[in-house]
Amino acid sequence: MNIFNTYRDYIENSIENLIAAGTLPAGLDSSRITVEPPRDPAHGDVSTNAAMVLAKPAAMKPRDLAEQIAARLREIEGVESVEIAGPGFINLRLGNSVWHQCLEAAIGLGKSYGDSDHGGGRRVNVEYVSTNPTGPLHIGHARGAVFGDVLASLLAKAGYTVTREYYVNDAGSQVDTLARSAHLRYCEALGRDIGEIPEGLYPGNYLKPIGRELADMNGDKWLDAPESDWLAEIRTFAIESMMALIREDLAVLGVHQDVFTSERKLVESGMVDEVLKTLEAMGHIYTGTLEPPKGRKPDDWEERPQTLFRASDFGDDIDRPLKKSDGSWTYFASDIANHLDKYRRGFTEMIDVWGADHAGYVKRMQAAVKAISSGEAELDVKICQLVRLTDKGQPVKMSKRGGTFVTLRELVDEVGPEVVRFIMLTRKNDAPLDFDLAAVTAASRDNPVWYVQYASARCHSVRRMAAAAFPNHDMSLSALARTPISCLTDDAELGLIKAVAGWPRLIEAAAEAHEPHRIAFFLYDTAALFHGLWTKGKDDSSLRFVIEEDKELTMARQALVRGVETVIASGLGIFGIEPVEEMR
RNA sequence: GCGCCCGUAGCUCAGCCGGAUAGAGCACAGGAUUCCUAAUCCUGGGGUCGCAGGUUCGAGUCCUGCCGGGCGCGCCA
């Protein structure tokens, strides 16, 4: 339950009353009304712009209308005061009891606190990682993997039915290159000196075990055989091996996906041909000639007519080719089939998570989704910008010689999966991210993971101290949910309670915007409030969490601590991180 | 040349589908520890929100044009 939604209902009821009373005309558009916490807490607890938004269509002065609405809001139980400010803001101040009820509810719900029906069970498909199965994942993939995985968890918490999807790019020429590279390692495993890996093949050592297995299974039958004999078989085997490797990499990071859709199968099943027919029937395809890109004309550019999709009819800048010069499908064509496949599986909300190098591809894919669904389906594309890996401020060298950049596995081995997951979400997806190996493992306020975990550890520490002070007292969640907490009236306590109360609203807003990073900032801010209250107890011992001579107060504060703990655990849970109970 | 993203304090960044006096951390200056983990906390200074227009009751946020940085631009995926 999001308390701001509760007050939105109250405000909308007030407006309906005014309509019924004839003060306001019927048919007003309430969609632009916001009900939110004011930025400046001095303005109260809940603020709405309703009077300003409705003033013009109602032909009233904003402040006059505000007064009419305010008069009705003052009748609501729990509303302490209603003030009109500035150009016509209505500011509500809520009594402490309202906040205390929020805290009680949070504790009562425990793990499920923050769960929302905002999504109404609507199905949403989140596609992420989706790399070529040609090698292990590197650090850049880690960001997209974490982002997609956490976004999916966030949407699930916000009441969506989520499918986590991986589109396996196993149909292009790159998997043929993979097969040739694997064949070379196969020859090597059979004792042949392969020398330097030729330009254009994958040099990585990770292919050596693949070559070994191929040799064990097939003997020397492909050693001097023409490529046509072995390409398809080795390709299939190598792709499967690479996908197994990628899944392991993802598992190490705690990332799992529900559906793996194979590009090759889409092509072989005729889905891509079908897409062409479908689009053709709709009149979205024609044969035409494209202008060469200006200022960067490829050397071997030759003008020729192509099969083009009318992307420019759907918001893209130019029309896009669907066939290569050799007649095979472009990646774009099969990706349209991929999205058509999703649409046919019942998804009208799709989210793709891509790397920065795919930014130029966004418009055409969105255009295609509109076209294949006749505007019914919506695709949001989240671009994850580059990760700059440093150590104590110095860039970490990427070794191309070994055929790998810094691999995801190396990164996770170095700092642990939980640190990687948290840090990857400490920036908006569309901003570059600095990942400093030294900073992310430091024990200081600079390091958000550590800082939030420290707050969690302190919660547990206080819990242990309280249990020691009152050994025979029931401090279970259900007991604390019933304990009287009206004695929590200090500003710092109320501030923390309000932060806890704001958790459901944050979930809904972050899910709506597809912005999981907001959780990281929320957790950091909440941790800061908690650390602040903690230290206040140093100056003023009456604010300590455990007061041995006052059991009632201690229990009330236990309730607060459990509320904080609940929110931190809930937030870290979406990130796939286990809260710590102790710091050593 | 074109498209997308970014530009907010000395540095790194928040700013919630437009809202009130633009906020944190780092760094800098000062302060708090016989007491629940001081690995923390408190106080202070510090800003033409890249520039210029526009939209409106109101713009860091939306639109247009410039400037600067990143990514990309048929036959890679």
Side-chain angles (χ1 to χ4, degrees), chain A residues 380-491:
Chain A
D380 186 18
V381 180
K382 305 299 279 189
I383 296 292
C384 288
Q385 286 295 334
L386 303 179
V387 178
R388 287 189 295 254
L389 186 65
T390 56
D391 193 9
K392 299 189 186 88
Q394 297 304 308
V396 172
K397 291 269 190 288
M398 308 234 172
S399 113
K400 267 196 169 168
R401 187 166 299 260
T404 57
F405 298 92
V406 174
T407 62
L408 180 150
R409 190 79 63 114
E410 285 166 341
L411 181 69
V412 171
D413 287 348
E414 185 76 21
V415 302
E418 308 201 323
V419 167
V420 174
R421 293 179 66 98
F422 196 107
I423 297 296
M424 288 298 181
L425 292 161
T426 53
R427 290 288 175 268
K428 284 179 297 206
N429 59 288
D430 48 16
L433 173 81
D434 286 311
F435 195 110
D436 190 276
L437 292 172
V440 302
T441 49
S444 83
R445 187 169 185 165
D446 295 344
N447 176 2
V449 201
W450 177 86
Y451 189 73
V452 170
Q453 288 287 27
Y454 187 29
S456 170
R458 275 188 157 171
C459 286
H460 284 87
S461 167
V462 170
R463 232 215 261 192
R464 289 189 292 269
M465 297 304 292
F470 302 99
N472 299 317
H473 198 78
D474 182 4
M475 283 184 257
S476 64
L477 268 184
S478 53
L480 289 173
R482 291 190 308 271
T483 206
I485 54 175
S486 56
C487 52
L488 301 177
T489 55
D490 186 84
D491 282 349

Side-chain angles (χ1 to χ4, degrees), chain A residues 28-304:
Chain A
L28 290 173
D29 174 21
S30 64
S31 64
R32 285 182 58 221
I33 295 176
T34 59
V35 178
E36 56 190 9
R39 289 186 178 173
D40 184 350
H43 292 136
D45 295 312
V46 179
S47 179
T48 180
N49 63 355
M52 291 182 288
V53 170
L54 299 180
K56 194 174 262 184
M60 289 178 74
K61 286 182 183 167
R63 290 189 70 107
D64 292 347
L65 176 53
E67 195 43 65
Q68 297 271 353
I69 297 171
R72 282 166 170 75
L73 295 177
R74 286 194 184 97
E75 305 302 314
I76 297 164
E77 196 187 333
V79 173
E80 208 169 79
S81 69
V82 182
E83 285 165 14
I84 296 160
F89 288 103
I90 303 171
N91 293 330
L92 286 75
R93 202 170 297 276
L94 305 181
N96 290 351
S97 63
V98 175
W99 299 113
H100 291 146
Q101 281 164 23
C102 287
L103 179 58
E104 282 165 16
I107 299 169
L109 289 167
K111 261 195 162 167
S112 63
Y113 179 54
D115 286 5
S116 164
D117 60 0
H118 187 256
R122 291 203 306 279
R123 299 181 66 206
V124 55
N125 183 292
V126 186
E127 180 193 312
Y128 52 105
V129 188
S130 296
T131 65
N132 310 318
T134 56
L137 299 179
H138 59 76
I139 183 168
H141 299 122
R143 186 174 187 185
V146 170
F147 181 91
D149 191 55
V150 172
L151 176 58
S153 299
L154 169 62
L155 290 169
K157 189 160 180 77
Y160 293 84
T161 305
V162 183
T163 296
R164 299 152 189 262
E165 187 135 345
Y166 188 122
Y167 178 52
V168 186
N169 300 158
D170 54 1
S173 61
Q174 296 186 355
V175 287
D176 290 342
T177 304
L178 172 73
R180 292 184 193 107
S181 309
H183 180 261
L184 197 63
R185 294 299 190 181
Y186 157 80
C187 296
E188 182 184 40
L190 290 171
R192 186 159 291 182
D193 179 12
I194 59 168
E196 287 280 305
I197 306 290
E199 190 72 26
L201 293 187
Y202 299 119
N205 289 334
Y206 56 86
L207 286 174
K208 281 186 178 170
I210 310 299
R212 177 81 262 157
E213 283 181 69
L214 283 169
D216 290 347
M217 287 186 304
N218 301 290
D220 61 3
K221 69 174 176 179
W222 289 327
L223 197 53
D224 294 305
E227 184 175 297
S228 55
D229 283 8
W230 49 260
L231 186 74
E233 276 189 72
I234 290 188
R235 187 175 60 204
T236 301
F237 179 78
I239 288 172
E240 274 172 20
S241 305
M242 287 302 108
M243 281 311 296
L245 187 69
I246 287 169
R247 283 185 212 230
E248 274 174 45
D249 282 354
L250 291 172
V252 161
L253 192 55
V255 172
H256 301 276
Q257 280 145 307
D258 308 313
V259 177
F260 289 75
T261 299
S262 157
E263 180 186 4
R264 180 167 294 276
K265 284 191 181 130
L266 285 180
V267 174
E268 286 170 359
S269 71
M271 187 85 168
V272 188
D273 300 280
E274 204 191 319
V275 163
L276 183 87
K277 280 190 204 125
T278 308
L279 289 174
E280 206 157 35
M282 291 168 138
H284 299 324
I285 286 184
Y286 69 104
T287 303
T289 311
L290 283 178
E291 297 277 312
K294 284 180 180 136
R296 198 191 155 278
K297 186 171 174 175
D299 298 338
D300 57 349
W301 178 273
E302 60 179 285
E303 226 174 56
R304 64 180 182 83

